[in-house]
Each structure stands twice: as C-alpha cells, then as structure tokens.
Short mmCIF file of all heavy atoms in Angstrom, two decimals:
data_model
loop_
_atom_site.label_atom_id
_atom_site.label_comp_id
_atom_site.label_asym_id
_atom_site.label_seq_id
_atom_site.Cartn_x
_atom_site.Cartn_y
_atom_site.Cartn_z
N ASP A 1 -3.25 68.00 49.92
CA ASP A 1 -2.83 67.91 48.52
C ASP A 1 -1.96 69.09 48.10
O ASP A 1 -1.05 68.94 47.30
CB ASP A 1 -4.04 67.86 47.59
CG ASP A 1 -4.79 66.55 47.71
OD1 ASP A 1 -4.16 65.53 48.03
OD2 ASP A 1 -6.01 66.56 47.48
N PHE A 2 -2.26 70.27 48.61
CA PHE A 2 -1.54 71.46 48.19
C PHE A 2 -0.75 72.01 49.37
O PHE A 2 -1.30 72.33 50.41
CB PHE A 2 -2.51 72.52 47.65
CG PHE A 2 -3.21 72.05 46.41
CD1 PHE A 2 -4.52 71.60 46.47
CD2 PHE A 2 -2.57 72.05 45.19
CE1 PHE A 2 -5.17 71.16 45.33
CE2 PHE A 2 -3.20 71.60 44.05
CZ PHE A 2 -4.51 71.16 44.12
N ILE A 3 0.55 72.12 49.16
CA ILE A 3 1.48 72.56 50.20
C ILE A 3 1.64 74.09 50.11
O ILE A 3 1.82 74.62 49.01
CB ILE A 3 2.87 71.90 49.98
CG1 ILE A 3 2.74 70.39 49.80
CG2 ILE A 3 3.82 72.26 51.10
CD1 ILE A 3 2.15 69.66 50.96
N PRO A 4 1.60 74.81 51.25
CA PRO A 4 1.83 76.25 51.21
C PRO A 4 3.26 76.57 50.76
O PRO A 4 4.22 75.96 51.21
CB PRO A 4 1.64 76.70 52.67
CG PRO A 4 0.96 75.57 53.35
CD PRO A 4 1.30 74.34 52.59
N LYS A 5 3.38 77.50 49.85
CA LYS A 5 4.68 77.94 49.32
C LYS A 5 4.66 79.46 49.19
O LYS A 5 3.62 80.10 49.31
CB LYS A 5 4.95 77.34 47.94
CG LYS A 5 4.98 75.82 47.89
CD LYS A 5 6.25 75.29 48.47
CE LYS A 5 6.28 73.77 48.31
NZ LYS A 5 7.53 73.22 48.76
N ILE A 6 5.81 80.04 48.90
CA ILE A 6 5.95 81.46 48.62
C ILE A 6 6.46 81.61 47.19
O ILE A 6 7.39 80.92 46.79
CB ILE A 6 6.96 82.13 49.58
CG1 ILE A 6 6.46 82.08 51.02
CG2 ILE A 6 7.26 83.57 49.15
CD1 ILE A 6 5.26 82.94 51.31
N LYS A 7 5.83 82.50 46.44
CA LYS A 7 6.29 82.80 45.07
C LYS A 7 6.92 84.18 45.08
O LYS A 7 6.29 85.16 45.51
CB LYS A 7 5.12 82.74 44.10
CG LYS A 7 5.50 83.05 42.67
CD LYS A 7 4.31 82.75 41.79
CE LYS A 7 4.18 83.68 40.64
NZ LYS A 7 3.02 83.37 39.81
N ILE A 8 8.16 84.25 44.64
CA ILE A 8 8.90 85.51 44.55
C ILE A 8 9.03 85.85 43.07
O ILE A 8 9.43 85.01 42.27
CB ILE A 8 10.31 85.37 45.17
CG1 ILE A 8 10.20 84.95 46.62
CG2 ILE A 8 11.10 86.66 45.00
CD1 ILE A 8 11.54 84.57 47.24
N GLU A 9 8.69 87.09 42.73
CA GLU A 9 8.84 87.56 41.35
C GLU A 9 9.77 88.77 41.35
O GLU A 9 9.58 89.70 42.12
CB GLU A 9 7.48 87.95 40.78
CG GLU A 9 6.51 86.78 40.69
CD GLU A 9 5.13 87.21 40.24
OE1 GLU A 9 4.93 87.31 39.01
OE2 GLU A 9 4.29 87.45 41.11
N ILE A 10 10.76 88.71 40.47
CA ILE A 10 11.76 89.78 40.37
C ILE A 10 12.02 90.06 38.89
O ILE A 10 12.21 89.13 38.12
CB ILE A 10 13.09 89.35 41.02
CG1 ILE A 10 12.87 88.92 42.47
CG2 ILE A 10 14.13 90.45 40.94
CD1 ILE A 10 14.04 88.16 43.05
N VAL A 11 12.04 91.33 38.52
CA VAL A 11 12.46 91.72 37.17
C VAL A 11 13.77 92.48 37.33
O VAL A 11 13.85 93.45 38.08
CB VAL A 11 11.39 92.57 36.47
CG1 VAL A 11 11.91 93.03 35.10
CG2 VAL A 11 10.10 91.78 36.30
N ILE A 12 14.79 92.01 36.61
CA ILE A 12 16.13 92.60 36.72
C ILE A 12 16.77 92.68 35.34
O ILE A 12 16.31 92.06 34.39
CB ILE A 12 17.03 91.76 37.67
CG1 ILE A 12 16.86 90.25 37.44
CG2 ILE A 12 16.73 92.04 39.11
CD1 ILE A 12 17.95 89.66 36.70
N GLY A 13 17.87 93.42 35.26
CA GLY A 13 18.65 93.46 34.03
C GLY A 13 19.26 92.09 33.77
O GLY A 13 19.60 91.36 34.71
N SER A 14 19.41 91.73 32.53
CA SER A 14 19.93 90.40 32.16
C SER A 14 21.28 90.09 32.78
O SER A 14 21.57 88.94 33.10
CB SER A 14 20.03 90.29 30.63
OG SER A 14 18.76 90.40 30.05
N GLU A 15 22.11 91.13 32.97
CA GLU A 15 23.45 90.90 33.52
C GLU A 15 23.41 90.43 34.97
O GLU A 15 24.38 89.84 35.46
CB GLU A 15 24.30 92.18 33.40
CG GLU A 15 23.88 93.34 34.29
CD GLU A 15 22.65 94.11 33.81
OE1 GLU A 15 22.20 93.88 32.67
OE2 GLU A 15 22.15 94.94 34.59
N MET A 16 22.31 90.65 35.68
CA MET A 16 22.18 90.24 37.08
C MET A 16 21.55 88.86 37.25
O MET A 16 21.53 88.32 38.36
CB MET A 16 21.32 91.25 37.85
CG MET A 16 21.98 92.55 38.19
SD MET A 16 23.10 92.41 39.58
CE MET A 16 21.99 92.02 40.91
N ALA A 17 21.04 88.29 36.18
CA ALA A 17 20.24 87.06 36.28
C ALA A 17 20.97 85.92 37.00
O ALA A 17 20.42 85.31 37.92
CB ALA A 17 19.78 86.62 34.90
N GLU A 18 22.19 85.63 36.61
CA GLU A 18 22.91 84.50 37.22
C GLU A 18 23.17 84.72 38.70
O GLU A 18 23.07 83.80 39.50
CB GLU A 18 24.22 84.22 36.48
CG GLU A 18 24.03 83.53 35.14
CD GLU A 18 23.22 82.23 35.22
OE1 GLU A 18 23.47 81.42 36.14
OE2 GLU A 18 22.33 82.04 34.37
N LYS A 19 23.51 85.96 39.08
CA LYS A 19 23.72 86.28 40.49
C LYS A 19 22.46 86.06 41.31
O LYS A 19 22.50 85.52 42.42
CB LYS A 19 24.15 87.74 40.65
CG LYS A 19 25.60 88.01 40.47
CD LYS A 19 25.81 89.51 40.66
CE LYS A 19 27.15 89.79 41.26
NZ LYS A 19 27.39 91.23 41.39
N VAL A 20 21.32 86.49 40.77
CA VAL A 20 20.04 86.36 41.45
C VAL A 20 19.67 84.88 41.58
O VAL A 20 19.27 84.42 42.65
CB VAL A 20 18.94 87.16 40.73
CG1 VAL A 20 17.56 86.83 41.29
CG2 VAL A 20 19.21 88.65 40.83
N ILE A 21 19.83 84.13 40.51
CA ILE A 21 19.51 82.69 40.54
C ILE A 21 20.36 81.98 41.58
O ILE A 21 19.85 81.19 42.39
CB ILE A 21 19.73 82.07 39.13
CG1 ILE A 21 18.68 82.61 38.16
CG2 ILE A 21 19.69 80.55 39.20
CD1 ILE A 21 19.02 82.37 36.71
N THR A 22 21.64 82.27 41.60
CA THR A 22 22.55 81.64 42.57
C THR A 22 22.17 82.01 44.00
O THR A 22 22.14 81.17 44.89
CB THR A 22 24.01 82.03 42.28
OG1 THR A 22 24.33 81.61 40.94
CG2 THR A 22 24.96 81.39 43.26
N ALA A 23 21.85 83.29 44.23
CA ALA A 23 21.49 83.75 45.57
C ALA A 23 20.22 83.04 46.05
O ALA A 23 20.15 82.58 47.20
CB ALA A 23 21.29 85.26 45.58
N ILE A 24 19.22 82.94 45.20
CA ILE A 24 17.97 82.27 45.58
C ILE A 24 18.22 80.79 45.83
O ILE A 24 17.79 80.23 46.85
CB ILE A 24 16.88 82.46 44.50
CG1 ILE A 24 16.47 83.93 44.40
CG2 ILE A 24 15.66 81.57 44.80
CD1 ILE A 24 15.59 84.25 43.21
N ARG A 25 18.92 80.15 44.90
CA ARG A 25 19.19 78.72 45.03
C ARG A 25 19.92 78.40 46.32
O ARG A 25 19.54 77.49 47.06
CB ARG A 25 19.98 78.21 43.83
CG ARG A 25 20.14 76.69 43.81
CD ARG A 25 21.06 76.22 42.72
NE ARG A 25 22.38 76.76 42.97
CZ ARG A 25 23.17 77.30 42.03
NH1 ARG A 25 22.77 77.37 40.80
NH2 ARG A 25 24.36 77.75 42.35
N ASP A 26 20.96 79.16 46.63
CA ASP A 26 21.74 78.90 47.83
C ASP A 26 20.95 79.18 49.11
O ASP A 26 21.02 78.43 50.08
CB ASP A 26 23.03 79.71 47.82
CG ASP A 26 23.99 79.27 46.73
OD1 ASP A 26 23.78 78.19 46.13
OD2 ASP A 26 24.96 80.00 46.46
N ALA A 27 20.18 80.28 49.12
CA ALA A 27 19.45 80.67 50.33
C ALA A 27 18.23 79.79 50.59
O ALA A 27 17.86 79.57 51.74
CB ALA A 27 19.03 82.12 50.24
N ALA A 28 17.60 79.28 49.54
CA ALA A 28 16.37 78.49 49.70
C ALA A 28 16.63 77.00 49.89
O ALA A 28 15.73 76.25 50.24
CB ALA A 28 15.45 78.71 48.50
N ASN A 29 17.85 76.57 49.68
CA ASN A 29 18.17 75.14 49.70
C ASN A 29 18.17 74.57 51.12
O ASN A 29 18.86 75.07 52.00
CB ASN A 29 19.54 74.91 49.06
CG ASN A 29 19.90 73.45 48.94
OD1 ASN A 29 19.06 72.58 49.10
ND2 ASN A 29 21.15 73.19 48.65
#
C-alpha cells in the first residue's frame, strides 16, 4: 500500500525558488 519515497526539504531565498523547482523537476523526472 505504501511505496518507499524520499522527502527533500530545502529553505532558500525567494529569488532561488524557481531555479530549485526546475532543477528538482528535471532531475527527478
């Protein structure tokens, strides 16, 4: 029922948010 996953938590300045989201999305896809 429950699949093993990894949770990543990052706190960054707001100006870096889009770069971080894109990097995660592209690398995890």
Side-chain angles (χ1 to χ4, degrees):
D1 290 332
F2 296 102
I3 310 298
K5 300 285 184 176
I6 296 291
K7 179 171 145 180
I8 302 171
E9 297 175 84
I10 304 166
V11 176
I12 42 103
S14 297
E15 69 283 350
M16 285 282 295
E18 285 305 316
K19 276 180 148 177
V20 170
I21 292 164
T22 301
I24 294 170
R25 187 187 63 224
D26 293 348
N29 185 13

